[in-house]
Amino acid sequence: MLEFILWGTRMADRQFGFETLALHAGQIPDAATGARALPIYQTTSFVFDSADHAASLFNLQTFGNVYTRLSNPTTAAFEERCAALENGRAAVATASGQAAEMVALLNILEAGDHIVSSSKLYGGTHTMFNVNFKKLGIDATLVDPDDPENFRRAIKPNTKVIFSETLGNPAINMVDLEAVGKIAREAGVPFIVDNTAASPYLCQPLRHGADIVVHSATKFLGGHGTTMGGVVVESGKFNWGNGKFKSMTEPSQGYHGVRFFETFGDFAFTMKARMEVLRVFGPTLAPFNAWQLLQGIETLPVRMERHCANAMAVAQFLEAHPQVAWVNYPGLKSNRYHALVNRYMPKGAGALLSFGIKGGFASGVKFIESLQFISHLANIGDAKSLVIHPASTTHRQLSEEDQVKAGVPPDMVRLSIGLETLDDIVWDIEQALAAAI
Ligand SMILES: *Cc1c(COP(=O)(O)O)cnc(C)c1O
């Protein structure tokens, strides 16, 4: 826990731009050595100055590092940078995106509580809500997010959180963040948004009614398919003192009787996530991974620009191709989410697109097997172009009827468009389509 000052958001009374923050927020040259690049503090533990210093660290009266499961200077730079890029107050890093969701939700939920969530979810999140949280006594109602009022209709007295993805993966649907955020505010519960598929460069949900943002940093933030990680960012604006969140306001049984909201105010959620959930359950981001993810973040703005430009061009190419039955890319005027994406993601519609190949399942398999450099794997957000045919991989155990219900019909091919030369990406897709007839 370095001081929770978002370096770079304000310096010499200047509000720095996104690109500057992506390079500098949370890090100044190393005071001990002058190193310009962020040092990797590959240590588990930190020496106390004195017995009194140790006591005040444990009492949370002094900010400082004790043990890397809780905090580490390299990881802190990653946390502060993510907070700055999401226009948030504070952040806590986690070992993966799944861990970020778990930490954010277990920080405020307990047995008997209820989640209202968009049904258009990442597969792992779907299982977390429908299977694993149910075993802990935490119930979830999944609703069609296309009508925001569906979230309101599903709220019950024990509802403690509303959850959605910005841009759903793999459905590539855009959620009306402001409308859902308003419903959450009226219900007195936080709105948690998984912003993985958009990245903070394309959308900052905290500016549009979200209270907490989570990321799989594994994807666009890291951006190179090398490193697992996640992060939870809080806005600092949610009122935890509204009577619904006793664990935020009453003395903590798990941490010296601290009252998190009273003591830490606008970064209470982050402090509790760190001192209770991360400390006890342990899904901590490794310092080396924090460093790798920060290398990725430095170039996030330029990468996202190119991801979007390439994906848009590929979507237009596919829309005009005779072997393509349909294209789902929210940057296209024909797309049902086009207006929402223009409103919440004006800089671009992201790297993900899906399309239907004529010839169905068999053509989908042939297409995938004929690609030359676009890699067949289960990931998104790599600098390299990626492809998956859900019906023959991630969703192959479902019947055709259930595949359609899950939004992954047998003819659907999902692409995560990378940063290769655009003509080469189009060439690879075109020759694979030709081979798939
Ligand atoms: C990948 C992903 C996750 C899970 O992240 P991991 O880093 O793989 O644990 C969660 N949400 C979305 C939208 C994702 O794409």
Side-chain angles (χ1 to χ4, degrees):
M1 286 162 295
L2 294 178
E3 270 191 289
F4 285 84
I5 294 167
L6 296 182
W7 184 88
T9 50
R10 289 220 141 254
M11 190 195 218
D13 273 336
R14 185 173 171 83
Q15 191 76 40
F16 287 110
F18 191 97
E19 290 78 2
T20 309
L21 295 177
L23 287 155
H24 292 282
Q27 191 230 342
I28 50 175
D30 187 51
T33 64
R36 174 63 274 203
L38 179 68
I40 303 171
Y41 288 95
Q42 190 69 16
T43 182
T44 56
S45 29
F46 301 83
V47 176
F48 305 122
D49 297 344
S50 63
D52 280 351
H53 177 229
S56 78
L57 283 169
F58 278 93
N59 287 340
L60 304 181
Q61 287 157 342
T62 303
F63 287 118
N65 298 296
V66 171
Y67 190 57
T68 285
R69 173 154 33 79
L70 314 180
S71 68
N72 173 286
T74 308
T75 310
F78 169 74
E79 289 165 337
E80 293 190 25
R81 192 159 310 172
C82 289
L85 294 183
E86 283 289 4
N87 194 41
R89 172 66 178 92
V92 57
T94 58
S96 69
Q98 288 300 108
E101 294 175 34
M102 184 197 75
V103 167
L105 290 160
L106 291 188
N107 200 27
I108 46 174
L109 300 180
E110 56 187 52
D113 287 344
H114 177 242
I115 303 167
V116 175
S117 172
S118 161
S119 61
K120 305 251 177 82
L121 289 172
Y122 177 71
T125 312
H126 203 278
T127 309
M128 186 187 291
F129 291 180
N130 264 344
V131 180
N132 303 74
F133 275 2
K134 289 216 161 114
K135 291 185 189 171
L136 301 180
I138 297 167
D139 202 11
T141 305
L142 306 191
V143 302
D144 178 351
D146 284 353
D147 179 1
E149 286 302 312
N150 288 339
F151 289 88
R152 193 196 305 279
R153 285 191 269 271
I155 291 171
K156 304 193 226 177
N158 60 341
T159 300
K160 293 287 173 63
V161 65
I162 293 184
F163 188 95
S164 175
E165 296 179 14
T166 314
L167 200 60
N169 173 25
I172 323 183
N173 62 298
M174 180 83 219
V175 173
D176 189 342
L177 299 174
E178 273 164 23
V180 180
K182 186 159 174 282
I183 291 164
R185 250 188 328 282
E186 285 165 10
V189 302
F191 180 27
I192 302 187
V193 173
D194 180 340
N195 196 32
T196 300
S199 90
Y201 180 71
L202 297 179
C203 181
Q204 294 171 317
L206 300 182
R207 292 188 190 276
H208 300 292
D211 301 292
I212 291 149
V213 162
V214 294
H215 274 281
S216 167
T218 312
K219 315 291 173 52
F220 294 98
L221 291 176
H224 295 78
T226 61
T227 308
M228 302 296 300
V231 68
V232 181
V233 184
E234 78 170 306
S235 70
K237 294 183 185 135
F238 188 81
N239 175 21
W240 301 105
N242 68 6
K244 281 180 183 280
F245 299 93
K246 300 247 179 299
S247 72
M248 293 290 289
T249 53
E250 298 199 344
S252 165
Q253 287 177 5
Y255 207 91
H256 307 309
V258 169
R259 291 173 193 266
F260 280 98
F261 189 46
E262 186 184 299
T263 309
F264 298 106
D266 65 356
F267 58 101
F269 182 87
T270 302
M271 282 300 282
K272 183 166 178 294
R274 190 185 297 286
M275 302 319 296
E276 285 193 345
V277 191
L278 206 59
R279 179 166 150 271
V280 170
F281 292 108
T284 302
L285 184 67
F288 180 73
N289 282 17
W291 182 85
Q292 281 275 31
L293 295 169
L294 275 167
Q295 299 307 297
I297 289 176
E298 291 194 354
T299 58
L300 179 71
V302 287
R303 284 187 291 107
M304 291 316 294
E305 291 280 356
R306 187 62 65 87
H307 275 300
C308 291
N310 283 356
M312 184 69 186
V314 169
Q316 286 167 339
F317 164 79
L318 288 170
E319 204 173 36
H321 198 284
Q323 270 169 269
V324 172
W326 53 268
V327 180
N328 182 16
Y329 183 65
L332 292 174
K333 286 207 177 62
S334 59
N335 190 276
R336 62 186 298 197
Y337 301 106
H338 188 64
L340 278 178
V341 164
N342 273 351
R343 181 160 151 215
Y344 295 120
M345 299 172 58
K347 288 190 269 192
L352 305 185
L353 65 88
S354 56
F355 69 97
I357 186 162
K358 287 185 185 165
F361 184 93
S363 294
V365 171
K366 264 201 221 153
F367 173 80
I368 294 271
E369 291 189 334
S370 305
L371 287 164
Q372 300 286 315
F373 67 79
I374 299 180
S375 304
H376 181 204
L377 51 73
N379 190 24
I380 59 168
D382 196 323
K384 301 175 179 78
S385 290
L386 315 175
V387 68
I388 197 155
H389 178 224
S392 64
T393 54
T394 52
H395 293 70
R396 67 172 295 124
Q397 72 285 2
L398 300 187
S399 69
E400 189 170 325
E401 195 193 333
D402 285 346
Q403 287 175 349
V404 172
K405 269 197 209 146
V408 289
D411 67 341
M412 174 178 151
V413 174
R414 203 240 359 241
L415 289 160
S416 175
I417 297 296
L419 311 179
E420 297 91 346
T421 307
L422 175 60
D423 280 353
D424 294 335
I425 300 172
V426 171
W427 164 82
D428 201 6
I429 293 171
E430 191 167 29
Q431 64 81 26
L433 280 169
I437 293 176

